Amino acid sequence: MQLSRRGPLKSAVPSNIVSPVRRCSRTACGRPAVATLTYVYADSTAVLGPLATYAEPHCYDLCAEHGARLTAPRGWEVVRLTDASAPSSPSGDDLEALANAVREAARPQERTAQAGGKGAPGADPVEVGRRGHLRVLRSPES
């Protein structure tokens, strides 16, 4: 805050209000940024990658629309890096593995597998009491 002869000057906009969302660097675009553009002048390359962790003065944050429409100067190359942490669509193998797991879980379990392979029908523990979500079980008699 600046001081004058009459006292402190009042700001038109409070300085403690800062948007937590980074905005597109293009003029008059207020959309949220999703990608960062960096120029590598030595290689005549424009690199468009995922949004950088920190805003850098020599990089440009772009929204999805401006990132998709990006063109480089004549003789320059545009390199588009994909975000490895972004969710990808499941492949056919992923869906097949999921279907197999659901089929396996839906199959009725044999009593011997549940009793630890002992095969005795009375080998399962017996519930003798309950308190809230806790159960008291009696051990199988040996």
Side-chain angles (χ1 to χ4, degrees), residues 9 12 23 34 39 42 48 53 61 66 68 76 78 87 90 96 100 102-103 105 114 117 119 121 124 126 135 139:
L9 294 177
R23 301 287 178 190
V34 297
Y39 290 108
L48 184 67
T53 307
D61 295 335
H66 286 122
W76 283 55
V78 177
E96 185 176 350
N100 290 337
V102 169
R103 283 189 206 109
Q114 290 178 350
D124 286 339
V126 178
R135 298 185 304 161
S139 297

Side-chain angles (χ1 to χ4, degrees), residues 11 15 18 20 28 37 39 48 60 66 74 83 88-89 114 124 136-137 140:
S11 174
S15 62
V18 178
L37 171 66
Y39 290 108
L48 184 67
Y60 301 94
H66 286 122
R74 187 176 304 176
D83 186 5
S88 61
S89 60
Q114 290 178 350
D124 286 339
V136 178
L137 303 176

